[in-house]
Amino acid sequence: MDEKKRILSGIQPSGALTLGNYVGALRNWVELQKSDEYDCYFMLADMHTITVRQLAKDFRKNAIDLLALFLACGLDPEKSPIFFQSHVPAHAQLGWVLTCNTYMGEISRMSQLKDKSQKHEGNIYAGLFTYPSLMAADILLYQADLVPVGADQNQHLELTRDLANRFNNAYSETFKVPEGYIPKIGARVMSLQDPTQKMSKSDPNENSYILMLDSPDAVVRKIKRAVTDSGSEVKRGEGKEGVENLMSIYCAVSGKTMEETEAEFLGKGYGDFKTAVAEAVVETLKPIQARYNELMANKDYLEQVYRNGAEVASRTAMKTLSKVYRKVGFIQP
Ligand code: ATP
Ligand code: LTN
């Protein structure tokens, strides 16, 4: 019997991937998969993306782009299914059952709902509201033990755990109650222009984020322009959030600790430090971008990856869904 712990995570194909998505989530997926200690499922959360209106042409491009980036970052489709959420109907099916077990009160408290409804004011669909119960379905369908995500997803994970416990108590043991896996460094990469805000691909100011596909020139320019403070010391501290954010980016891509970084730049100014951060980021992105370009030239391979992924994922998902349907009392078809 397979004793390995299960992992499920997802990223939305809602636009170009940022360095925040990479160090907060994707990079950890690669490490966890490599460790061979887990049985992993990696999902492109395309059904979540349509909670905000998408232009079909751009949406299709973003979806294939993200798949190629998953592979370019090192995810191995031979080891784990990599699939589109919309290709596994059980997500929508369990999502509905869980929506019917979610209180209006608890779902209204989600802070991502508040953020996104402010951003899309006048254009807020009900899917944005019920989105967390679909995310819970994504996780619970696979009986995941661990969910590697950035810190901003904590609240959604809490709700997932509450829903799992609620269902288990009401209908008997059905779902594994999952834990989050949130990295120590890079769980919340901040905007380069405003270190009180999360780095976000939907930020209108393109100097605020680094994209995984940014050219070396763009990376250097954006890091040079990043907000620091009027001091000159590379260290953590009150009022030094901008520097600290650059330090955590540096640590995340170089593998160094914050202490090592402070020691390395002792007596040096922000100019030297920013040059080093930019170089380290460029070096991290270079092989990923090269691999991405190769993969984008091989659409047949990408298609094979997601088709195969959906087939394997569907089998696991259906096992849970059938149990749930039986327990809630649906007549067997
Ligand atoms: P948006 O910025 O448009 O709100 P998003 O990037 O937050 O989108 P996703 O693409 O679904 O949303 O996020 C995918 C993963 O990346 C999640 O695990 C999320 O926690 C993580 N993530 C997103 N932004 C950051 C960040 N700035 N720092 C660390 N992790 C992040
Ligand atoms: N909600 C996440 C994306 C997401 C996800 C998931 C993450 C959808 N389903 C399941 C982990 C597990 C986001 O917007 N960042």
Side-chain angles (χ1 to χ4, degrees):
M1 210 184 112
D2 197 351
E3 294 289 323
K4 280 188 181 177
K5 286 199 170 184
R6 193 59 73 75
I7 280 184
L8 173 289
S9 198
I11 296 184
Q12 298 189 45
S14 53
L17 212 67
T18 68
L19 190 67
N21 299 132
Y22 178 66
V23 301
L26 193 45
R27 195 177 62 136
N28 305 306
W29 302 4
V30 176
E31 291 307 312
L32 291 163
Q33 189 192 40
K34 273 202 188 125
S35 77
D36 275 332
E37 283 172 40
Y38 304 94
D39 175 24
C40 305
Y41 288 78
F42 299 119
M43 180 185 74
L44 294 105
D46 55 355
M47 288 168 59
H48 284 270
T49 311
I50 63 162
T51 52
V52 173
R53 175 81 91 230
Q54 303 292 314
L55 216 59
K57 189 162 127 298
D58 298 345
F59 185 27
R60 272 193 288 270
K61 161 130 191 16
N62 287 337
I64 294 298
D65 256 17
L66 183 60
L67 173 64
L69 267 174
F70 275 16
L71 303 177
C73 287
L75 287 185
D76 181 356
E78 299 293 324
K79 281 192 184 165
S80 324
I82 299 175
F83 62 99
F84 285 105
Q85 185 184 26
S86 64
H87 293 178
V88 181
H91 289 255
Q93 292 168 303
L94 181 62
W96 177 248
V97 175
L98 293 180
T99 297
C100 296
N101 282 274
T102 306
Y103 296 115
M104 296 286 279
E106 62 188 345
I107 211 165
S108 326
R109 285 195 290 274
M110 299 290 127
S111 50
Q112 186 170 322
L113 171 71
K114 285 179 206 138
D115 294 349
K116 298 235 164 170
S117 5
Q118 269 164 11
K119 273 193 198 154
H120 303 281
E121 211 182 349
N123 209 2
I124 301 160
Y125 301 102
L128 203 57
F129 184 71
T130 56
Y131 157 118
S133 51
L134 180 60
M135 174 162 162
D138 300 337
I139 298 167
L140 300 180
L141 268 180
Y142 297 90
Q143 306 288 352
D145 297 276
L146 271 192
V147 186
V149 282
D152 62 321
Q153 296 301 312
N154 243 334
Q155 211 184 11
H156 292 154
L157 287 181
E158 267 314 305
L159 178 75
T160 303
R161 294 163 58 81
D162 289 347
L163 287 174
N165 282 318
R166 185 173 308 153
F167 194 95
N168 289 347
N169 290 334
Y171 295 101
S172 82
E173 202 61 26
T174 309
F175 297 124
K176 180 71 82 41
V177 181
E179 302 283 341
Y181 177 94
I182 298 183
K184 287 196 187 70
I185 288 189
R188 205 173 160 77
V189 177
M190 307 312 276
S191 153
L192 299 179
Q193 293 297 315
D194 176 0
T196 64
Q197 298 294 317
K198 166 185 112 148
M199 180 181 283
S200 164
K201 57 191 166 219
S202 48
D203 195 313
N205 182 351
E206 62 168 44
N207 285 322
S208 71
Y209 51 71
I210 293 171
L211 298 178
M212 292 302 288
L213 297 177
D214 268 348
S215 67
D217 284 353
V219 172
V220 171
R221 193 181 62 241
K222 289 175 179 183
I223 291 183
K224 287 255 143 67
R225 288 193 188 162
V227 169
T228 47
D229 55 74
S230 55
S232 61
E233 284 170 297
V234 178
K235 60 175 198 186
R236 290 160 289 178
E238 185 82 17
K240 297 188 74 76
E241 291 75 11
V243 173
E244 193 166 328
N245 187 37
L246 290 176
M247 287 174 69
S248 63
I249 291 176
Y250 184 66
C251 293
V253 296
S254 68
K256 293 178 183 161
T257 63
M258 292 296 242
E259 290 74 18
E260 285 165 350
T261 304
E262 284 175 347
E264 183 179 348
F265 294 98
L266 191 70
K268 298 191 183 148
Y270 290 159
D272 287 347
F273 173 57
K274 283 183 165 180
T275 305
V277 178
E279 269 171 18
V281 171
V282 167
E283 283 311 306
T284 301
L285 299 187
K286 211 188 268 169
I288 297 175
Q289 295 180 351
R291 178 99 185 98
Y292 164 86
N293 288 328
E294 282 167 27
L295 285 157
M296 287 302 277
N298 193 351
K299 297 277 163 47
D300 289 348
Y301 173 66
L302 295 176
E303 197 175 305
Q304 192 190 319
V305 167
Y306 68 69
R307 289 230 167 106
N308 184 49
E311 212 179 293
V312 178
S314 293
R315 279 200 292 272
T316 308
M318 274 316 289
K319 283 190 200 146
T320 304
L321 185 73
S322 316
K323 260 195 223 166
V324 170
Y325 270 25
R326 189 164 39 77
K327 292 192 186 194
V328 299
F330 286 146
I331 301 284
Q332 296 265 350

